[in-house]
Amino acid sequence: MKKFMRRVMEWKAACCFAFTGCALLYALVCLFMGRTQIRVTSLLYLLGLTAVATGLQYLCFTQALFKKMRYTARLLLFAALLLPVLVGAALLLEWFPSQYASAWVLFGLIFLAVLAVFTAGFELYFRLAGRRYDGLLGRYRAGADHRQK
């Protein structure tokens, strides 16, 4: 039960961060388009989407479901699961005129671009974190060697 609750708390924190970021981005897009108000229903839809997306992210990028899977496969699985959710939301919420093929092409390109930017951001973060932990491990080993002498 403790493990389950810890996972729920991790998901909740990730969902809060994602929702905050998406809401801020949505507000900027609205301002850019000349809108000065955001409907509460839009925020609720956004909350639902971020809850689903962070749930998918948790399932795809942790060992909760798949113990051993390459990062590339995890990324492709995540994209394959998230894209239909976003397509459904685009149709249900009428994000753009869905009868035009060019709108769908643009939607797909935006999806791929956002996926690439977030993937690069996470990669950079984990590389920097890895270097930090490597440095701390090196200091620990140097201290352990010094203590053994």
Side-chain angles (χ1 to χ4, degrees), residues 17-38:
F17 285 126
F19 174 70
T20 302
C22 289
L24 289 173
L25 186 61
Y26 182 66
L28 288 173
V29 168
C30 286
L31 281 174
F32 180 73
M33 295 176 64
R35 294 175 49 198
T36 58
Q37 294 180 345
I38 298 174

Side-chain angles (χ1 to χ4, degrees), residues 86-137:
L86 293 177
V87 166
L91 289 170
L92 180 69
L93 304 175
E94 299 176 347
W95 287 349
F96 53 86
S98 60
Q99 66 270 23
Y100 299 112
S102 59
W104 285 107
V105 169
L106 183 60
F107 177 79
L109 291 173
I110 290 170
F111 174 78
L112 291 174
V114 169
L115 185 67
V117 167
F118 275 92
T119 300
F122 278 116
E123 181 69 24
L124 180 64
Y125 169 76
F126 287 123
R127 282 187 189 215
L128 293 173
R131 285 184 186 160
R132 179 175 170 250
Y133 287 124
D134 286 344
L136 291 172
L137 181 60

